[in-house]
Structures are given as C-alpha cells and as structure tokens.
Amino acid sequence: MFTKQLQDEDEEILKIAKKLNSTSGSILRQFLFFITSTIIHFGFRYPKLKLQTFKFIDVLPSLETKNVYPYFKIYIFDEDTELPTFLKNSIHFLIHLFHLNSIVSYVLLNVVKFFAKLFILCESSKKLNIKSNQFRPRTYDILGEIALSPAEAKEIQKQYLELIETLPEEIHNIDPKLRTNISIKCSGIETKLYPESEESSVQYLKEALRPILRSAMGKKIGINLDMEQYDLKSIISRTAKELFLEEEFKGYPHFGIVVQSYLKSSKEELFSWKEYAMTRGVPITIRLVKGAYLEYERIKSEERGWDPPVFNSKHETDVKFEENVLFLLESFPYLRSAFGTHNLRSLSFVLYHTNKKTITDFEIQMLFGMAGKYKLRLESLGYTVREYSPIGSLLPGMAYLIRRLLENTSNQGFLYQLSQGKKIDSLVKNPNKETQYGI
C-alpha cells in the first residue's frame, strides 16, 4: 500500500507531466504530430504489413534503384499481409501496364530517404554545418553497426577523428550541459572483441580508442562510450575503467559511459561506477537509458539456454529505471547524471527529484528527430536538452532507422498511447502500481 507521501509525490509528478504536455507547438508541429500519429496507428493496426515494410527498408540500401520496386513487390505484395489480394494485384497490374516500375522505384527510395533524414543529422562530418547545429548541445555519433573487417573498423575510427577535427574547440570552463560530446560505438572501431578472450579484447579496444580520446581532449570535447549488446558489456566497461585511469587520461573530467536499466545488474553497475569515480577522484558521466536490445538479448539467451540478463517486462524495466535515477542523484557529485528518455513519466520523475534535491548539474538527452514538443517545452522551462545526433549515410544508418521506427510504432510506446487518446493521468502512473498502460 502506498503512503500519503508517495501519493503526494505522484500528484506532483503528474502536475509536471501536464505542464510538459501543455503546449502543442506551432501549426507545423501539430501537423507533423498528426501525420506521425496516423502512421503509428496504421502500423499497429496492421502488424504483418509493418513487419514486411521494415524488412524491405532493411534490405533497401543494398539495391540498385531499378530493382527497388521488384523487391518491394516480393516483400509487400507477395507476402501474406493485411492488404487485400485484389488491391495488391490491381496496383501491380497498373504499374506493369503503364511501365511505371522505374518511377515507382525512384519514389519508394526517396520516401525512405526522406524519413531517414528526419532521424539522421547529416551524411558526413564534412557536411556538418556547425552554426546551424548550435541550437542545442549535441552528442554526435557515427552511424554503423558492428564493423565486419579491420579495414571497415579503421575507416569508422578515421570518421570519428575527422568529426573531432571538424568541431570547434570548447571553452575550458563551459557548463558541462553545453559541452559538445561524441558517443562511440566500440564494436564499430574494433573487430577483435570476443567475450571468451576478454583480456586481449580489452587491449585491442584500448588501442583503437586512445587516438580518439587524445584528439577529443585536445578540443576539450566530451567522450561517451555507448553500451551495446550484453556480450560486450564486460569488455567495454573494463576497457573504460582501465583506460580512464591511464596517466594521460585520468584527470580528464569529460568521459562517460552508458548504463542500461533493462539489465538486472544495472544497480550493481551504478554502484561500481560510483566507487570507481571516488577512487579516480574525477566525476564520470552516466547516461542512464532503458536499453535498446531487449528482444535481441531475450532471443540470444533462449538460444543458449541461459537466463536472460534483461528484465522480462517493460514494467520491471520502468521500475528499475526510477530506482536507478534516485541512486544516480544520490551519487552526485561522483557520478554526473544524463538521462536518456522521451517518456513523459520518466522525464517528470527526473525533474521532480532533481528539484527536490536541488541538483542542477544533470542532463536530459533525447534523439535527434524525436520528441520535439517535449524538447521545446523543457527548454522553455529553463532546462537544457542535449540531442543524440547520428551522422552517416542511408546504408550504415538503416539499422538505426529501423530501431527508431520500431520505437515509434511500438504498442507500448508513449507516443502511440498518446496518439490513441489515452489520458495523461493513466500514462504517467507510478510503475510500481498495477496499470495496463504502465509506461
């Protein structure tokens, strides 16, 4: 049973949520929200069609333009989806009759590119317009999944170095919330990362990271190591702890790492990082996220006959996220908090407790192209929002785009629930309480 104090806390969190959600923005933003909501509703209503569409988008970068429609037909028209057979056959007949294959292929390709540009900042660091991107502080990232060859890893490492070279030097005593950051996907810059050979993997990864860290320190830019699938967690964490203690790096206060709340071990990780920061004598930034590989981790665990390292439900993940928020705030100033979320309940929970503890040195981080309404509202209330801003072309960015589309079309996602007319009161309920829409 909840105490009066907890009930009062939930009421205050609800007030904050309503304040964040109180503005609908410009007419253009309202229109974009309407279009997004319509697409999300359509995607949830037709799950088979959504799945096949994502499969098609995933393979699209490997196709020549002239082959786009033939593959679209294979994935969308030839598969069993919710689209009526008569409709699919009629569309294909008309395209074939009027020789529209090339035109339809061109249109399909450019529609997907248009959506990709909504989530990807630019194609390369050479096309990065620094002045036009100073509206918000950013953490930049080079797009791409796991590097498949040493040559590819070297190329991605080179892109990180070129990005740092492109960015201006930061002011020494700038507010940490405004300092430019770069997020690094470790499996993109080193191929020899094997859980069964952790010692050598750590050494290889340190060699790949040192030039990037040196270059970033020269520009006084922050560096964050992204956390990936569970298999690499120990390697990445150990590499960070050893590398940040090396003589040339141990005094630099602008290093950080990600902790994923969907991991059952997340609280222990935070405790470990707090002890580490106290020993090092310099704060470490922790980007707290809920996690991005939930289904992957479950599937891999089932294949191996292991207990999954992640929680079984989103409800449990939400509970742990809030527990971790409180631990992070209590760990100030040893751990510097960066909360990566678009979720209204989570945002309101963070704002309530940072205000209660009078902590101002924390960050809200959101993805480029998402939650624009909440970014503007937070900024109007005096909070700084950092945008996680990916850089890369459509080909390496496709997996990233798919994850963003999956997030936006999830039936558990806050945006979907809001688009369905669910009331704010039900969407920001305390996750410790039983609720059908515990987000």
Side-chain angles (χ1 to χ4, degrees), residues 15 32 388 415:
K15 289 180 183 178
L32 289 175
Y388 186 97
L415 183 57

Side-chain angles (χ1 to χ4, degrees), residues 52-111:
Q52 290 305 123
T53 300
F54 286 168
K55 286 182 177 180
F56 166 71
I57 292 174
D58 198 26
V59 75
L60 183 59
S62 63
L63 304 178
E64 294 181 13
T65 303
K66 64 180 180 180
N67 291 328
V68 170
Y69 174 69
Y71 275 86
F72 178 83
K73 178 180 179 296
I74 291 171
Y75 279 91
I76 308 299
F77 289 171
D78 294 348
E79 290 291 328
D80 177 28
T81 68
E82 293 86 354
L83 288 177
T85 302
F86 171 77
L87 179 61
K88 293 189 288 187
N89 291 340
S90 298
I91 294 173
H92 177 64
F93 173 77
L94 291 174
I95 291 173
H96 180 73
L97 179 64
F98 293 103
H99 305 287
L100 299 176
N101 190 315
S102 297
I103 295 175
V104 173
S105 293
Y106 177 81
V107 170
L108 287 170
L109 180 62
N110 282 277
V111 165

